[in-house]
Amino acid sequence: MKILLIGGSGNLGRELLKIDSNIFAPNSNILNITSLKSLDSFFLKNNFDTVINAAAITDTVRCETDISACISTNIIGAANLMFMQSIYKFKLVYISTDYVFDGRNGSYKDSDPINPISNYAKSKASAELAVRMNKDNLVIRTSFFPSEFKHKAAFFDQYTTKDFVDIIAPIVYEKVVSGEVGVTHIGTKRDTVYNKVKERIPDIKKISRKDVEGVYIPYDTSLE
């Protein structure tokens, strides 16, 4: 399988490249998903069986204030890849998020209706729905902490199935090479963000969702 990875410089991208060094991951100077011209020029010269789109603006606060950038990368970039897929016939694997759910209930199945609240969640849901228009694509809903957790505190009142990226990435890779299509969920055990981070960083401090202003922080986005 010849795999193209878009977003190779991100947390997930770097871990996937550790797993499979044969994955091709050009930087945005070579391949810009917000430009159809850049994409078409690239695919005219390169053939791939599978394209992983892991590129996104994931800063939820920034997505509330810089809407145009959020739309450009998270929505238009994904839509452009769908245009390219119709011409160059590759399989598209889209890395979505547990935030496509509103987080009021938790333990979401892959068949449950989505209800994105924040701008980040809405942008990811918009792209996900476009990718799902082709039944041969794969949407992976997941979430992860960077391998080096840079925050001084973690939410004690938010439940999740996310985990550190070095734990999530191998599961993502197995899904990519499995040939699976449709929508799938990837996560580990359900617990609070604080408890999950504390396993790796024992002295992490607690913070409440209520302490964060300017963006909606869901209560429970755990996945089944």
Side-chain angles (χ1 to χ4, degrees):
M1 182 182 293
K2 193 175 180 183
I3 301 173
L4 170 68
L5 171 62
I6 300 169
S9 62
N11 290 312
L12 178 62
R14 291 195 297 270
E15 291 297 324
L16 291 174
L17 290 171
K18 291 178 186 177
I19 296 169
D20 186 349
S21 60
N22 291 318
I23 294 175
F24 184 57
N27 62 40
S28 58
N29 292 326
I30 297 173
L31 179 59
N32 180 2
I33 62 170
T34 66
S35 166
L36 280 173
K37 183 178 179 180
S38 173
L39 284 166
D40 193 44
S41 175
F42 178 84
F43 282 112
L44 275 172
K45 302 171 185 175
N46 301 277
N47 296 313
F48 293 92
D49 304 303
T50 300
V51 176
I52 306 171
N53 182 12
I57 294 176
T58 59
D59 185 332
T60 54
V61 175
R62 181 185 175 190
C63 286
E64 295 298 320
T65 57
D66 193 352
I67 295 175
S68 59
C70 183
I71 290 173
S72 180
T73 299
N74 294 6
I75 300 178
I76 294 175
N80 284 345
L81 285 171
M82 288 293 291
F83 280 121
M84 292 297 102
Q85 181 184 45
S86 67
I87 300 170
Y88 296 103
K89 310 303 179 186
F90 51 80
K91 177 183 177 180
L92 184 57
V93 177
Y94 180 68
I95 307 301
S96 189
T97 174
D98 52 3
Y99 271 37
V100 297
F101 298 107
D102 57 29
R104 296 190 175 102
N105 299 312
S107 299
Y108 293 102
K109 300 180 179 65
D110 56 24
S111 57
D112 284 340
I114 61 176
N115 184 31
I117 303 298
S118 68
N119 282 351
Y120 166 69
K122 290 172 182 175
S123 71
K124 295 293 286 184
S126 299
E128 174 185 308
L129 290 172
V131 173
R132 290 170 61 186
M133 292 173 71
N134 186 327
K135 61 181 178 60
D136 295 323
N137 288 336
L138 175 63
V139 169
I140 297 177
R141 293 182 186 138
T142 189
S143 190
F144 44 83
F145 310 113
S147 54
E148 294 184 10
F149 194 79
K150 297 180 180 180
H151 301 290
K152 296 180 179 179
F155 295 122
F156 67 85
D157 54 357
Q158 182 184 38
Y159 285 85
T160 183
T161 46
K162 73 192 298 185
D163 216 314
F164 285 90
V165 67
D166 52 288
I167 295 174
I168 295 295
I171 311 173
V172 170
Y173 180 77
E174 289 302 317
K175 290 286 185 180
V176 170
V177 299
S178 71
E180 185 174 340
V181 298
V183 178
T184 191
H185 288 175
I186 291 177
T188 57
K189 66 178 181 178
R190 177 183 178 273
D191 206 338
T192 64
V193 172
Y194 172 78
N195 284 340
K196 284 187 171 264
V197 174
K198 194 174 188 296
E199 291 180 2
R200 189 168 289 192
I201 308 174
D203 60 347
I204 192 73
K205 293 180 173 58
K206 293 182 179 180
I207 189 173
S208 172
R209 295 179 299 121
K210 298 176 183 178
D211 295 330
V212 178
E213 298 180 353
V215 66
Y216 174 75
I217 304 295
Y219 166 67
D220 187 345
T221 55
S222 57
L223 304 173
E224 284 194 0

